[in-house]
Amino acid sequence: MNNPNTVTELIAEAANALIRRDPHRLEELERISRGWMQTHDEELAQIILLQAMTEAADLLLDTPSEIESA
């Protein structure tokens, strides 16, 4: 898998990981994005979003995605 280079790419990859119910990829994206050139508030918001998405992916593991099946 390619690593995202922009916030836009990160969000798109995170959305796809959540659709696939892939908490491991979301954790990897959080690690990759730490230390990017952004303000502290932006980094914190991004980390919290990715952590919430990871938690959601964990909770939805046994639930098929309506988006993925469309």
Side-chain angles (χ1 to χ4, degrees), residues 15-41:
N16 286 326
L18 181 55
I19 290 167
R20 292 187 319 269
R21 313 304 198 233
D22 187 350
H24 300 292
R25 179 62 175 155
L26 288 159
E27 290 170 347
E28 181 180 5
L29 291 171
E30 179 186 338
R31 182 191 52 74
I32 290 167
S33 68
R34 286 183 182 265
W36 278 5
M37 299 286 291
Q38 56 190 349
T39 68
H40 175 73
D41 289 343

Side-chain angles (χ1 to χ4, degrees), residues 1-2 4 8-9 11 18-19 22-23 32 43 51 53 56 60 65:
M1 254 180 233
N2 292 334
T8 302
E9 290 175 0
I11 291 170
L18 181 55
I19 290 167
D22 187 350
I32 290 167
E43 180 179 17
Q51 288 175 347
M53 292 174 82
L60 295 170
S65 169

Side-chain angles (χ1 to χ4, degrees), residues 40-51:
H40 175 73
D41 289 343
E42 290 168 337
E43 180 179 17
L44 184 58
Q46 186 172 283
I47 289 168
I48 291 169
L49 175 63
L50 288 166
Q51 288 175 347

